[in-house]
Amino acid sequence: MKPRVRFAPSPTGYLHIGGARTALFNWLYARHTGGTFVLRIEDTDAARNSQEAVNVILEGLRWLGLDWDEGPLTPDATGPCKGDRGPYFQSQRKANYQARIEALMSRDLAYKHADGTIKFRMTREPILIPDLVVGDVVRPLTDREEIDPDWVLVRSDGQPVFHFVNVVDDLEMGITHVIRGEDHLSNTAKHIALFRAFGVEPPKYAHIPLILNNDGSKMSKRDQGASLTSYLENGFLAEAVNNYLCLLGWSPKNDVEKLSLAEVVERFDLPQILRHNAKFDYEKLTWLQGEYCREVAPERFYELGVHAFAKAGVDTNQFETSYVKAALDTCRGKIKTFSELPAYAGFYFTDTFSYEPEGAKKAFVPENKPRLEKVRAAFAQLATFEAASIEAALKATATELGVKVGVLIHPTRLATTGQPHGPSLYHLLEVLGKAKVAQRIERALDCIVGQ
């Protein structure tokens, strides 16, 4: 039988990066083995769940490209899941849970407690958890009278608890492998006992290492990089995030760190999951993002760039498409995340930018006013305003003035972009065009006090 795995998040807030990594590992194992990846929303806690949180989960998985293989038909589904099926929702499976409770009670494996709850008669024997990652773990149980190992299946308000519905769904959905965070290992003895009470062997368990902050502390929702949504908002590429998540707790057994998802699918297997906790390194993720960003096809770079500008309130639709594309072309290979674009290249789309203060102190000094006037005059003489001719004119002017070309580059860049750093000067000037460059140099000259 081919493996059947599942990702079963609770829609109570944002999608944590650890949850995204769990979904990815399950998806990878299903794709590597030719198995099935099931998405199940554990939404029985009506007081804490929200549709908004469900949407965040679905949006995150679709952005990562983690398509699920089965679920109830949803006519309005728009995601990549096969057959236009949505995820399973536990809130729609209450009849299943009730039937299972009745079965346990009929066999005296569960009973109604004095406090109104329904409790499971837990075994008093130690339980062996044969884990594919952690190894064999024994959970000893005590029969001391003062400690009651029985646990609640259904609360006094009639609401079934997580541990119960989790097992029932895994059983009825034929889940063969449960791949989840190591923080769930403490619950697994309960789950194994319940599977056996239903007369079936439990699935195989693989508890994957936790993701910690770089200093070894537990990641909270306030920590940088903890929320998957932050990557969508900050202009990361899904392939870069997937690649980095693969490296958090899994080793491809060589020194290669940059791997496509197809390459990981080919290599991924549970024995390669590392035992020790993974430390989240935001700088390494950003580096990997930069590597992927350099390889993005021009049309996709353009699409993502326009989206980043729109998000920052810059309407690129006011400009010719050819101009916008030419502007973005000068940014390729220069940025790591698309959220950097508005600050890096916003000067293309406004003439009212301010000058970076420290840069202005250095570049807009009195002796640079006549130099910038010479640059303006040299540019005015050019028959073709292209990068090569601009470069030649700037170098010739530097020679005429007896200075290094860098002396002219810095004030020219600041005058035309407002920033001391940015895209290639000669190419950005070509994109801006002769008239706009002349206007911006004139504006800067008005700001410089002459000698």
Side-chain angles (χ1 to χ4, degrees):
M1 180 180 179
K2 289 187 176 181
R4 288 176 57 83
V5 298
R6 49 70 167 178
F7 177 52
S10 297
T12 56
Y14 71 108
L15 180 56
H16 190 276
I17 197 71
R21 195 270 310 261
T22 297
L24 175 60
F25 277 23
N26 277 277
W27 184 89
L28 287 169
Y29 188 63
R31 296 297 173 261
H32 175 76
T33 59
T36 300
F37 175 58
V38 175
L39 176 61
R40 185 174 76 221
I41 305 297
E42 300 197 333
D43 62 340
T44 55
D45 190 348
R48 298 179 61 214
N49 299 329
S50 71
Q51 184 58 47
E52 182 182 2
V54 172
N55 294 341
V56 167
I57 292 169
L58 300 183
E59 179 186 13
L61 295 181
R62 286 167 175 159
W63 180 69
L64 291 171
L66 306 184
D67 54 324
W68 52 96
D69 297 312
E70 65 178 50
L73 284 171
T74 54
D76 59 343
T78 57
C81 72
K82 298 174 182 177
D84 283 339
R85 292 179 179 270
Y88 291 106
F89 288 88
Q90 285 185 333
S91 58
Q92 299 171 5
R93 298 171 56 79
K94 293 179 180 178
N96 303 56
Y97 309 137
Q98 182 59 36
R100 292 287 178 174
I101 284 291
E102 292 171 359
L104 289 173
M105 294 186 73
S106 70
R107 297 166 54 205
D108 199 32
L109 295 173
Y111 60 93
K112 190 132 185 198
H113 194 265
D115 62 6
T117 63
I118 296 176
K119 299 185 78 172
F120 175 65
R121 293 191 190 279
M122 186 66 175
T123 176
R124 269 59 178 171
E125 300 297 324
I127 291 182
L128 172 67
I129 305 170
D131 194 277
L132 298 174
V133 174
V134 179
D136 288 351
V137 177
V138 176
R139 291 293 183 195
L141 298 171
T142 180
D143 60 359
R144 288 183 295 167
E145 292 182 3
E146 64 270 24
I147 299 179
D148 182 7
D150 294 352
W151 51 278
V152 173
L153 296 171
V154 181
R155 300 187 187 96
S156 58
D157 63 359
Q159 194 71 20
V161 302
F162 157 78
H163 300 296
F164 173 62
V165 295
N166 184 277
V167 167
V168 170
D169 284 341
D170 284 348
L171 187 162
E172 295 185 353
M173 293 178 183
I175 301 303
T176 63
H177 294 72
V178 174
I179 306 169
R180 60 188 181 187
E182 193 174 337
D183 51 331
H184 288 286
L185 182 58
S186 60
N187 304 322
T188 306
K190 292 180 179 180
H191 298 180
I192 288 176
L194 189 53
F195 271 109
R196 290 176 177 162
F198 285 128
V200 298
E201 280 301 300
K204 295 177 181 178
Y205 288 94
H207 288 90
I208 58 182
L210 301 180
I211 300 176
L212 306 177
N213 287 316
N214 220 2
D215 62 3
S217 61
K218 185 177 179 180
M219 287 188 84
S220 74
K221 63 182 181 180
R222 293 175 297 276
D223 290 321
Q224 185 181 41
S227 169
L228 184 68
T229 303
S230 67
Y231 301 106
L232 283 78
E233 293 175 344
N234 290 318
F236 278 77
L237 296 167
E239 51 266 45
V241 176
N242 273 327
N243 191 160
Y244 184 67
L245 289 179
C246 291
L247 302 177
L248 291 175
W250 173 78
S251 172
K253 292 186 176 179
N254 56 34
D255 294 330
V256 176
E257 292 187 312
K258 188 171 179 294
L259 296 159
S260 70
L261 207 53
E263 290 175 304
V264 179
V265 166
E266 185 178 344
R267 301 183 185 201
F268 187 88
D269 208 351
L270 298 180
Q272 298 157 6
I273 295 177
L274 305 174
R275 178 66 187 87
H276 56 79
N277 289 330
K279 289 188 177 181
F280 187 85
D281 186 341
Y282 194 83
E283 288 187 6
K284 184 173 181 180
L285 169 58
T286 304
W287 166 80
L288 198 56
Q289 160 70 20
E291 294 298 299
Y292 276 95
C293 198
R294 271 194 285 274
E295 299 173 359
V296 171
E299 285 303 314
R300 187 178 176 210
F301 190 94
Y302 171 72
E303 178 185 349
L304 294 171
V306 166
H307 178 74
F309 276 116
K311 192 168 185 180
V314 178
D315 184 9
T316 56
N317 291 320
Q318 298 180 26
F319 302 84
E320 293 288 338
T321 300
S322 58
Y323 175 80
V324 178
K325 286 186 174 182
L328 287 170
D329 276 344
T330 68
C331 304
R332 289 174 53 79
K334 306 289 187 178
I335 60 166
K336 291 182 178 178
T337 64
F338 284 88
S339 60
E340 298 172 20
L341 270 176
Y344 185 78
F347 64 85
Y348 281 118
F349 307 107
T350 179
D351 292 320
T352 58
F353 53 81
S354 58
Y355 302 113
E356 195 274 324
E358 288 302 312
K361 280 183 185 179
K362 295 177 181 178
F364 288 176
V365 292
E367 58 267 32
N368 276 344
K369 186 163 188 176
R371 293 168 179 168
L372 205 50
E373 288 172 340
K374 281 280 190 181
V375 170
R376 178 186 59 181
F379 286 170
Q381 297 300 315
L382 292 177
T384 57
F385 203 71
E386 297 173 349
S389 60
I390 293 168
E391 181 179 7
L394 208 60
K395 288 181 177 179
T397 303
T399 301
E400 179 185 344
L401 293 171
V403 297
K404 292 183 178 179
V405 70
V407 173
L408 303 182
I409 284 176
H410 298 303
T412 303
R413 177 185 292 280
L414 200 74
T416 53
T417 71
Q419 298 293 326
H421 307 288
S424 162
L425 177 63
Y426 308 124
H427 292 89
L428 76 84
L429 294 177
E430 177 183 335
V431 173
L432 287 171
K434 189 174 183 179
K436 187 170 289 189
V437 168
Q439 291 169 1
R440 293 188 179 188
I441 291 178
E442 189 67 37
R443 177 188 171 213
L445 286 169
D446 291 339
C447 297
I448 304 175
V449 178
Q451 288 179 313

